[in-house]
Amino acid sequence: MKAHETLPLLPIDSGDGVWLKDFEGKRYLDGVSSWWVNLFGHNEPRIKAAITEQLNTLEHVMLAGFTHEPVVQLSEKLGALTGLGHCFYASDGASATEIALKMSFHYWRNIGQPQKNQFLSLQNSYHGETIGALSVTDVAIFKDTYAPLLRQSAQMQSPDARLAEADESAEAYANRCADFLEGFLKQHHTEIAAFIIEPLIQCAAGMGMYHPVYLKRAREVCTLYQVHLIADEIAVGFGRTGTMFACEQADIKPDFICLSKGITGGYLPLSVTLTSDEIYQAFYDDSVARGFLHSHSYTGNALACSAALATLAIFEQDDVLSKNQAKTAYINSKICTWHDLPIVNARNQGMIWAFDVQTKNQQFQQHFYQQALAEGLLLRPIGNTVYWMPPYVISQDEIDFMLKTTKQVVIACA
Ligand SMILES: *Cc1c(COP(=O)(O)O)cnc(C)c1O
């Protein structure tokens, strides 16, 4: 709050498409999709109409002992898309992580292996900031203060291609990291319930991208050593990496998938943890204690589910994934000419781009953010990593503006 005395909050009056507008009428291109949640722009008429229609029938009813049409339809659709047929709803990403962790442990307990009570994650991982989720998160600035409150978990070597040796390919490095995981599981698998991972991109770590072979190998060794694989697709799900879900690019099926952020197109808070028949069956019993006793008041909220259904419908109606391919190719063709900038590790996966700026400016992150805003572009570098994660509806002119402004601001701030 003290920092905001010199850097006042920016009050936003309205949004439309990729643009946010303040009360002076100044426009800002939302280059981070309002923290990775918005898919089809602000003020999207079809999502708005779906929520409004739902609002006229049923805003909310508790899911304990009750159900409603949007939640049934959404569960059927997500089950078909992921191949995991059972949905458990909450309202934010961190809760989806908590649910996966608790459910994984409870599964092992129900089948007579309660000693499997440890979790693994990757170095530099991010899975949310409630106490359980923070325990498997590995970002020092979020974690260190609360360390005494957290449960120990082990972090596996990150396959982020930037960490490879100079002469090592992303694939070779990912394989080396998978060897490490395999060795660890071989030794410790009897105590480990689950390995949680962000498929293809560690977004909060500064868009750390890695080769899909790591996911394939992780699936193989988790199966071999009877450890659940939890895919946290909260940031990368719903088309961000080029496929509907990132796991598709490694052709793997995890035991749990956590989804949130883009699920409602950025309109309302909703998250879901999906799992398999096999895990579901271990809870199916007359004994209440074997059931998964976890609840949130707004679980499966009808308005949020209707926004999610409208979002999924847009993917079909607008052929979003193939249209995005053209946008990806266009942006890539532009940035491959950025030779004169002090940047390294330019990388792309689907609708996410990032590069690392080489600068001696200790305040690069802050300077870049302020300068870009002054130019009408909302970007929030992570350290010296500048990234674009725009709404999918961004037009060619808007892309040109985003790129031109970014280039200008990099030069000014580096
Ligand atoms: C944002 C995010 C979360 C946490 O979601 P919240 O809704 O902010 O709690 C968890 N995992 C990943 C990969 C995320 O990007």
Side-chain angles (χ1 to χ4, degrees):
M1 289 313 291
K2 197 169 174 204
H4 285 305
E5 286 173 17
T6 47
L7 182 69
L9 295 175
L10 184 54
I12 291 299
D13 177 45
S14 60
D16 195 46
V18 300
W19 298 99
L20 296 165
K21 199 167 82 185
D22 71 14
F23 287 84
E24 265 81 60
K26 184 173 166 63
R27 300 200 308 162
Y28 307 88
L29 191 150
D30 188 354
V32 297
S33 295
S34 289
W35 251 354
W36 320 346
V37 301
N38 190 293
L39 300 187
F40 302 120
H42 299 276
N43 199 23
E44 207 294 323
R46 288 167 286 182
I47 302 177
K48 244 173 28 174
I51 297 171
T52 310
E53 195 185 342
Q54 186 58 40
L55 195 52
N56 286 329
T57 17
L58 174 72
E59 78 298 335
H60 181 74
V61 64
M62 62 180 176
L63 278 193
F66 291 82
T67 189
H68 55 75
E69 192 174 339
V71 79
V72 172
Q73 278 187 17
L74 182 61
S75 305
E76 293 295 338
K77 287 206 151 63
L78 292 174
L81 283 170
T82 59
L84 294 172
H86 301 277
C87 294
F88 198 102
Y89 290 90
S91 311
D92 55 68
S95 300
T97 299
E98 300 282 346
I99 289 163
L101 298 176
K102 282 178 70 178
M103 208 183 271
S104 171
F105 163 74
H106 198 165
Y107 168 87
W108 296 116
R109 185 186 149 92
N110 277 351
I111 69 158
Q113 296 195 53
Q115 78 289 354
K116 280 169 93 71
N117 63 12
Q118 303 293 319
F119 299 106
L120 301 185
S121 64
L122 287 178
Q123 249 171 9
N124 306 327
S125 60
Y126 183 89
H127 299 292
E129 291 167 61
T130 53
I131 290 187
L134 197 54
S135 295
V136 289
T137 286
D138 185 41
V139 180
I141 190 166
F142 302 137
K143 189 165 188 176
D144 286 358
T145 306
Y146 305 102
L149 303 181
L150 305 178
R151 203 158 184 279
Q152 295 291 320
S153 70
Q155 273 65 54
M156 303 294 101
Q157 202 168 331
S158 165
D160 181 341
R162 290 176 296 174
L163 303 173
E165 299 290 337
D167 56 352
E168 192 178 29
S169 71
E171 182 172 7
Y173 177 60
N175 267 307
R176 188 151 65 82
C177 293
D179 293 341
F180 178 85
L181 172 69
E182 183 166 7
F184 192 93
L185 287 183
K186 188 172 182 182
Q187 221 179 345
H188 300 286
H189 65 96
T190 53
E191 293 114 57
I192 297 169
F195 176 38
I196 182 165
I197 184 169
E198 295 153 89
L200 294 187
I201 311 178
Q202 293 186 285
C203 295
M207 303 299 156
M209 303 188 184
Y210 61 85
H211 195 280
V213 73
Y214 187 81
L215 293 175
K216 246 193 179 358
R217 294 275 314 274
R219 175 69 279 181
E220 279 165 19
V221 296
C222 283
T223 304
L224 180 65
Y225 289 111
Q226 295 206 304
V227 167
H228 290 144
L229 181 64
I230 303 172
D232 176 351
E233 296 227 13
I234 290 166
V236 295
F238 299 101
R240 266 296 160 195
T241 65
T243 44
M244 196 61 172
F245 299 108
C247 284
E248 294 167 31
Q249 297 189 39
D251 199 18
I252 60 154
K253 190 153 128 184
D255 301 292
F256 297 89
I257 295 186
C258 302
L259 301 173
S260 188
K261 291 209 164 97
I263 191 170
T264 61
Y267 272 69
L268 288 165
L270 181 71
S271 69
V272 59
T273 302
L274 291 118
T275 194
S276 64
D277 279 340
E278 187 189 344
I279 289 168
Y280 173 85
Q281 285 302 333
F283 293 83
Y284 191 80
D285 198 88
D286 289 324
S287 158
V288 172
R290 284 179 64 103
F292 188 63
L293 300 183
H294 181 109
S295 57
H296 293 286
S297 308
Y298 280 99
T299 190
N301 174 262
L303 296 173
C305 289
S306 70
L309 285 167
T311 299
L312 288 177
I314 292 174
F315 273 98
E316 289 176 21
Q317 288 159 14
D318 292 0
D319 196 15
V320 171
L321 296 180
S322 43
K323 290 217 177 94
N324 282 356
Q325 281 177 10
K327 296 184 189 194
T328 299
Y330 179 71
I331 294 184
N332 288 344
S333 75
K334 292 267 164 178
I335 56 168
C336 67
T337 63
W338 286 19
H339 303 301
D340 45 342
L341 293 192
I343 62 172
V344 292
N345 301 321
R347 53 199 182 274
N348 160 249
Q349 179 74 60
M351 291 296 283
I352 302 178
W353 293 261
F355 54 83
D356 305 330
V357 178
Q358 292 180 308
T359 172
K360 292 200 173 66
N361 180 356
Q362 297 287 322
Q363 313 250 308
F364 172 80
Q365 187 174 7
Q366 198 57 39
H367 287 169
F368 184 99
Y369 170 71
Q370 284 174 260
Q371 183 93 30
L373 269 187
E375 300 294 330
L377 175 62
L378 165 53
L379 291 179
R380 288 177 55 113
I382 302 173
N384 288 355
T385 298
V386 173
Y387 72 89
W388 299 311
M389 198 151 162
Y392 301 162
V393 292
I394 191 167
S395 71
Q396 189 153 320
D397 284 351
E398 290 161 346
I399 289 172
D400 290 343
F401 170 79
M402 180 173 80
L403 268 56
K404 187 188 77 188
T405 308
T406 303
K407 195 170 179 179
Q408 215 172 296
V409 179
V410 168
I411 292 167
C413 296

